[in-house]
Structures are given as structure tokens and as C-alpha cells.
Amino acid sequence: MFIRNRYLPPLAALASISMVAGCGVFSSDASGDEAPVVVGTTSAPATLDPAASWDNSWELFRNVYQTLLNYSPGGAEPEPDAAESCGFTDGSSTVYSCKLRKGLKFSDGHALDAKAVKYSIDRIKKINVNGGPAGLLGTLSRVQVKSDREVVFHLSQPDATFPLVLTTPAMSIVDPEEYPADALRKDGKISGSGPYSLASFEEGKKAELVRNDNYKGIADRKNSAVTIRYFQKSDEMVKALKDKEIAVIYRGLGASDTVDLQTNQKAEGLQLVENPTTEISYLVFNPSDPWAAKPAVRKAVAQVIDRPALAHNVYKDTVEPLYSMVPRGLVGHTTGFFDDFGAPSVPKAEQILKEAGITDRVPLTLWYTSDRYGSTTKPAFEELKRQLEASDLFKVTLKSRPWKSYVEGYQKGEYPVFGRGWFPDFNDADNFIAPFVGEQNALGTPYEAPEITNKLLPESRAESDRGAVAEQVKEAQQIFVDDVRLLPLWQGKQYVAANEEIAGLEKVIDPATMMDMWELYWKASW
């Protein structure tokens, strides 16, 4: 007889089942002995408040909060979720209206109406966290409540990407009775209207999600509960999968672990599924640092970095070299960094520095997060240090912090050069350009690029046919190449590993590379 509880330590399994049953969250079609699906990840949230988050916290938010629009499993176009219908009501893409579903409620039973939607969006702009999601609302002028079920967004300029913005977990609808209008919520709780409620949360350790009986939306929940366990090391997470302490791994697999799973999955009773993704990794140069502020230093780094060696030696070819901030597969992708810098060349880098009057080795401090992107991050930065120092042009110091304090550091502008990964908010080239420029951006380091912010982005956003914006995208990428404020390194692949008795993996990752936990289920229970 198949006993699903063996995928949890015995006491934890009993406690989880007791908790779930006590909350009355099992639906009529769920078996009474169904254990939570336990998911492991290195992607722990830095905050529980959507107004503060433009990062991996969204991966939790997607499952406990609700947005007006979302994606159906396997779908690529936004569909109504909390909304019943949405659309532009003018001919210039400046007025966007949504009508809510009837009878919406938050998980705490409070009514969810158009006023709650306006409240949620307005507080993002009012709180205005540095490096936070207010940067996504640059074209939003005001939010209007027309009735209990109708909310209208007035934009300052045409923006065909605005519906895509509304799909992001940053635009999660929160309960006005539980979230301050001008400050972040800090009691460690969540009041949302998503497919699940947050039953308990231990920072950096685990989140227990149970079915939200008040939910009305597009999610077709195939399980009754999910427990997310947060790991700091990839190898510990893989061991937990093989020891059947967890059933699924999402985000944070190390390169060696991925290769091992690809080779031995059948023999070990596991499965590994690759999902299409536009995930990228890149370096950010802080202009407030005296060395990183020098264009010649940035260009010399770009001239030395050997992406193919990084991809092969460290990532075991589970990633591919990237020469543009806009990844392959999106409209307007180029290879600008390769076109301008060519293959790695120490003599060319040395000449760039000499022409700028720099003859001594350049001291640079590179920062990375110790627990966000998996155990391969440290050796990757060690490889970058090796490459730069082998040129005799740089003296590199490496430093790291856990993700939560790492975010706080780059938002305050503390790091001269730092590594970031970018998992798209939505699958459009705009989202690999706009978040990085302007006074307020996702990186916390102002990047004045008026040609992009005042001309190219407005031109592209006025175009409803997103396949017709290639020229603007290419021009913006060339500005990135010329400035080298951002240095793309690689484009990744998204792998989900699981026990062979788990199903739903093929459609569990949405277009923004977040996991829809409701798609997971035990094969014997469905």
C-alpha cells in the first residue's frame, strides 16, 4: 500500500495532517489522509508584504495572494483571476478597466471589492520602497473606483504592457483592514485571497500553505496543502529529496546536482523536468563607487570576462553564455556585448584602461548572495575573480550575505559591484529594460538613461503588437552595451526535480518562472 506520509518525518507528518484537518481545508474531492506536498527551494522570501517586494518573495505571493490577472497553466497570455474581465476602454491604451468577480473575499472573510484593489495599488506608490515595486507603476497616473466591482486605471501615457504588470505578484490585492496605508505590515502574517492561506511561517525555514476556501479564481487546485521548506545549500536540499523528506525541488539546484539527476533519475526513483525560461544572471556596477563609476573599468571587465568558460567549468553547461540583457527568445534580442567586445582579450582590456590613464591594478569588491541562487553561486564568483585577476589588471575581493540582508545592502547602494539574477515579471522584452533604468529601479542604484526612459520605452509601449517593437529594444540594448552599467553573464534553464510519485510538473512553472503550487499532486490521489 502506498503511504504518502513517508515523505515527511513522522512527527511532522502527523502535525501537518492534524493542522490541516483542524482548519477544515480539505475539499470534498480530497482524500482525508492526503499529506501536504513538500517543496524545497533556496528562494526564501525577504518580506511578506507585496508593497516591499520586487524579488523572489513573489514566488510565495503567487500562491497566497491574488492579482486581477494571472496565467492559466501552460498559458502565455494574461487571463482574469480576481477580475471577471479587463481591457483598455480607449483607443490609445491609456485607460484600463477591470470588473471583479462577484462575492470575492479575503482568507480572513473580509470582503474584497474595487476599493481594496485601489487601496493595494495606491499603497505601493505611497510607501515607495527603494528598489521596490513602485517602479513597475511608472505610467500609472491614478486609480478610480467606479463601483463596488469596477476599478479603472488611468495611465499618463500609452502602455500596452500595463496588463502584464497587473499579473505580477507586486500587484497583489491586500486586505485594507490588515495592511497600513503608509507603512509595511510587519506581524509576519498574510491576509490575501489567493488559492492558499498561510497557516504558519518560520522565516528562512518553512511556510505552510492550506487551501483557502474563500478563493474564487482560475487556479484549479489539485492538492489540499503545500509545505515549502527553505534551504541555504543545494546539496542539503537534494539530500532531503533523495531521503524523501521533501517531494519536489524548485529553484536552487546546483549544476552538479542537476547533471547527477539527469543521469541517475530513473535509478533513484526521481524525475527532472526542464521548463522554458528567460532567467538571466548579470553584474551591476554601482556609479557611487569610485572605481565602478569609471566607464573604462567597466569596459575592461566586460573585455576580460569569459562567459563560455563560466558556463562550462562552473555550470556544467546547464546555462548558456548571454551577450545582451534581453535574453534569447524575446523580440529584439541581440548579441551586443559580443559584437562590441568580441572574445575575451587581456591586451584589449589593458589598452582600454591605459587610454583612461589607469595603469595600476584596479581594486574591485564583488558581492553575491550566499543563499538565493543555489550553491553554484559561490564557485561562479570565484571563477569571475580568477578570470579578472589572471589578467593582472584587477585585484578582486569577494563578499557575500544571505539574501534578506543582501537586498537591504544593494538597496542602500553599499556594493561596488554585485551579482543579480532576473526572473521576468512578465515575458516581454520591456521587462528586461525598464526595471533597470531611471531614478527608481529594481536595483536601488539610479541609472539615468533618458534616451530609454523618455523615448524608446514610451514608443514601444504605445505599440499593442509586441512583435513590432524590435527596433526600440535593439536601441536600448546598445545603450546598455555602451554604458556597461549592467553586464549580462548567462541565460539559464529552469529545472524542477521531484519524486516519481508527484505529477503536474510540466505546467507548474508560469511565464514569470514562478511555481503554481496548486498544480502539484500525488499520482495516487488524483
Side-chain angles (χ1 to χ4, degrees), residues 35-366:
V37 177
V38 184
V39 177
T41 179
T42 60
S43 186
T47 177
L48 297 183
D49 191 327
S53 174
W54 201 350
D55 62 16
N56 60 293
S57 303
W58 287 10
E59 292 158 6
L60 174 62
F61 295 175
R62 176 65 85 204
N63 294 278
V64 295
Y65 289 108
Q66 191 175 22
T67 48
L68 290 170
L69 300 171
N70 203 341
Y71 298 94
S72 290
E77 297 298 325
E79 298 179 28
D81 190 5
E84 181 178 276
S85 61
C86 287
F88 284 106
T89 59
D90 64 337
S92 60
S93 299
T94 59
V95 181
Y96 195 77
S97 178
C98 287
K99 184 176 182 180
L100 299 179
R101 295 175 185 265
K102 292 181 180 179
L104 290 175
K105 293 181 180 180
F106 292 102
S107 57
D108 56 16
H110 297 159
L112 190 166
D113 57 14
K115 290 181 180 179
V117 176
K118 173 178 168 59
Y119 183 92
S120 301
I121 304 300
D122 284 349
R123 73 186 291 266
I124 293 172
K125 300 188 74 172
K126 188 171 185 178
I127 296 173
N128 196 23
V129 172
N130 184 34
L136 284 166
L137 297 172
T139 62
L140 178 63
S141 179
R142 64 186 178 95
V143 185
Q144 175 191 9
V145 174
K146 290 195 71 173
S147 69
D148 287 347
R149 292 177 56 204
E150 187 176 3
V151 60
V152 180
F153 301 92
H154 297 270
L155 309 181
S156 59
Q157 61 190 45
D159 187 357
T161 70
F162 188 73
L164 302 176
V165 171
L166 291 180
T167 68
T168 68
M171 305 301 131
S172 295
I173 306 167
V174 301
D175 186 346
E177 296 186 44
E178 302 293 343
Y179 291 76
D182 56 0
L184 299 176
R185 182 175 182 177
K186 296 183 178 180
D187 63 358
K189 297 180 180 180
I190 285 177
S191 301
S193 58
Y196 299 97
S197 300
L198 183 65
S200 68
F201 180 75
E202 295 180 53
E203 185 174 331
K205 294 184 178 179
K206 69 176 179 178
E208 293 182 326
L209 313 184
V210 296
R211 183 183 291 250
N212 174 17
D213 288 336
N214 289 326
Y215 172 72
K216 293 183 177 181
I218 61 174
D220 178 16
R221 293 165 294 188
K222 295 179 173 63
N223 60 63
S224 295
V226 173
T227 296
I228 307 171
R229 284 186 54 189
Y230 300 113
F231 292 81
Q232 292 192 354
K233 296 181 179 180
S234 301
D235 55 350
E236 294 177 356
M237 184 167 60
V238 172
K239 183 177 185 300
L241 178 68
K242 293 182 176 182
D243 290 346
K244 299 185 176 5
E245 294 175 5
I246 62 176
V248 181
I249 287 179
Y250 165 64
R251 194 84 76 194
L253 275 174
S256 297
D257 295 320
T258 301
V259 172
D260 175 65
L261 287 168
Q262 286 174 327
T263 304
N264 302 309
Q265 54 183 306
K266 289 186 178 180
E268 296 183 345
L270 302 173
Q271 53 183 319
L272 186 72
V273 175
E274 179 183 332
N275 289 272
T277 180
T278 49
E279 169 192 353
I280 70 171
S281 178
Y282 58 101
L283 294 178
V284 182
F285 292 88
N286 186 347
S288 65
D289 176 77
W291 286 108
K294 298 179 185 295
V297 169
R298 303 195 298 264
K299 290 179 180 180
V301 172
Q303 188 64 73
V304 169
I305 293 297
D306 188 338
R307 294 172 179 83
L310 180 68
H312 180 71
N313 297 338
V314 178
Y315 287 96
K316 313 299 181 186
D317 298 317
T318 60
V319 303
E320 300 175 1
L322 181 64
Y323 298 93
S324 165
M325 288 299 291
V326 175
R328 284 178 294 280
L330 295 183
V331 169
H333 164 73
T334 68
T335 55
F337 277 90
F338 185 83
D339 298 340
D340 279 31
F341 293 95
S345 171
V346 173
K348 288 182 180 180
E350 185 176 17
Q351 185 63 30
I352 291 170
L353 292 173
K354 282 184 177 180
E355 289 177 358
I358 302 171
T359 55
D360 294 331
R361 295 181 73 178
V362 176
L364 286 179
T365 300
L366 272 60

